[in-house]
Amino acid sequence: MLIKIRKASDVRGSEITPKSVYLDRRRFLRAAAVAGAGAAMAPLALAGSAQAGAKLTGVVKGPYSTDEEQTKYESVTSYNNFYEFGTGKSDPARNSRNFKPKPWSVAIEGTVAKPAVYDFEDLIRPHKLEERVYRLRCVEAWSMVIPWIGIPLGDVIKRLEPTSKARYVAFDTLHDPEQMPGQRRSVLDWPYVEGLRMDEAMHPLTLLAVGLYGEEMPNQNGAPIRLVVPWKYGYKSIKSIVRMRFVETQPETAWNKASPREYGFYSNVNPDVPHPRWSQRRERRIGFFFKRDTLMFNGYAEEVAGLYTGMDLAKYY
Ligand code: MTE
């Protein structure tokens, strides 16, 4: 089992770029294999940041939760993609310890009736926090099951009253190389940007997440507020959001700018459309030994397939 877990073919070549990322994943797998054999992983307090860990109260169970086995908290918070804190999987937990997600504000801009800079609390407080256990499938062919806590993005959007001109929502991550050491290198064109078509943003599955496992969002997972779009590859789930803009035309997205051939605007999980460098047919669920089939729309086809009726998903990848 240990040998199988460590096989390079088990974790298909590096994705979203460099070799360092791939090597780092192998280091993680070795650590995971050791942990599986009985050794202890890093204590919880060390896995997160100074601010992480505060319990969120008044959380209700939301709809759409899967009852699949949840990925261990230690894995969810130590195996991350957050290039603002480094390209290695363990970099975000290590390099985000001094990141300050409080106070925080989010600028609402564009074709919207209530543009303003909203304090984080004012943006969130009018809504009931829900726990939603979602699968998240990374473009790198691994997946996790995470009990997110958040509010439906659609509810927030309704309150902000976009005008009829708004066809897309664009999102920006914080740009602050002082706090985000990964931004001192031009790995991506900072800030990290993402976008959704308005009907995708309004879909009841789309979550603005502020926590996981009953606690405030750990820094490495996108504190204090991030997107979770479970039927799309993980990179659409932009972290540490400081700006939402309602726009008429399709916005740029960070990975599409970096490599348009590999990363499209839609980025729906689709086992039938391979990434140019690897297949998307199978995936490795973190914590499990055997690979499993990747499901269309990451298993959320019943809920979201209708959004793409009549679209050629090989063209609009
Ligand atoms: N958001 C920002 N700002 N920067 C990033 O590098 N990585 C994306 C996404 N959001 C990323 C980001 C990718 S590739 C994935 S798979 C998910 O975050 C990972 O989320 P997690 O670390 O909470 O599992």
Side-chain angles (χ1 to χ4, degrees), residues 229-292:
V229 194
W231 72 94
K232 293 180 181 282
Y233 291 120
Y235 60 90
K236 295 294 282 185
S237 293
I238 182 172
K239 297 175 168 181
S240 303
I241 297 167
V242 289
R243 194 152 75 119
M244 281 169 51
R245 224 167 344 113
F246 294 91
V247 294
E248 288 178 60
T249 51
Q250 186 174 296
E252 290 190 312
T253 69
W255 282 104
N256 179 252
K257 278 199 286 180
S259 184
R261 205 175 66 86
E262 294 176 291
Y263 309 107
F265 175 80
Y266 284 94
S267 309
N268 292 317
V269 173
N270 189 342
D272 300 333
V273 176
H275 181 281
R277 287 185 282 138
W278 63 88
S279 163
Q280 294 290 21
R281 290 224 164 270
R282 313 259 298 156
E283 69 197 53
R284 190 174 61 84
R285 177 72 48 86
I286 299 295
F288 282 79
F289 173 57
F290 291 110
K291 283 194 189 179
R292 62 186 68 207

Side-chain angles (χ1 to χ4, degrees), residues 77-268:
T77 55
S78 65
Y79 189 73
N80 300 102
N81 274 334
F82 199 171
Y83 277 26
E84 285 82 344
F85 294 105
T87 54
K89 291 286 179 278
S90 56
D91 290 344
R94 191 172 47 244
N95 297 334
S96 69
R97 286 197 185 123
N98 297 323
F99 179 70
K100 295 216 164 21
K102 287 177 191 170
W104 193 268
S105 53
V106 181
I108 304 297
E109 301 175 2
T111 59
V112 60
K114 297 179 177 169
V117 176
Y118 287 81
D119 180 69
F120 170 79
E121 291 294 334
D122 296 336
L123 195 67
I124 301 305
R125 205 185 304 114
H127 303 274
K128 194 129 205 89
L129 288 181
E130 295 178 12
E131 181 180 82
R132 305 257 189 118
V133 186
Y134 283 167
R135 293 178 285 277
L136 196 72
R137 165 58 158 84
C138 186
V139 73
E140 302 163 14
W142 50 265
S143 63
M144 296 195 191
V145 174
I146 302 176
W148 301 104
I149 293 172
I151 53 185
L153 174 63
D155 291 355
V156 178
I157 291 179
K158 276 184 214 140
R159 192 158 59 87
L160 299 171
E161 297 175 21
T163 72
S164 57
K165 282 186 174 170
R167 293 186 52 226
Y168 297 88
V169 195
F171 304 85
D172 293 3
T173 292
L174 176 70
H175 186 213
D176 183 359
E178 287 277 311
Q179 286 203 78
M180 296 175 140
Q183 289 180 334
R184 293 173 210 157
R185 290 169 51 218
S186 313
V187 187
L188 286 171
D189 182 12
W190 311 111
Y192 195 104
V193 290
E194 257 305 335
L196 293 174
R197 216 170 56 187
M198 191 56 91
D199 58 346
E200 298 176 322
M202 295 299 295
H203 192 280
L205 268 173
T206 307
L207 202 68
L208 265 182
V210 298
L212 50 81
Y213 267 109
E215 299 176 357
E216 284 181 358
M217 191 66 78
N219 289 346
Q220 59 271 38
N221 293 90
I225 184 164
R226 67 171 287 173
L227 203 61
V228 179
V229 194
W231 72 94
K232 293 180 181 282
Y233 291 120
Y235 60 90
K236 295 294 282 185
S237 293
I238 182 172
K239 297 175 168 181
S240 303
I241 297 167
V242 289
R243 194 152 75 119
M244 281 169 51
R245 224 167 344 113
F246 294 91
V247 294
E248 288 178 60
T249 51
Q250 186 174 296
E252 290 190 312
T253 69
W255 282 104
N256 179 252
K257 278 199 286 180
S259 184
R261 205 175 66 86
E262 294 176 291
Y263 309 107
F265 175 80
Y266 284 94
S267 309
N268 292 317

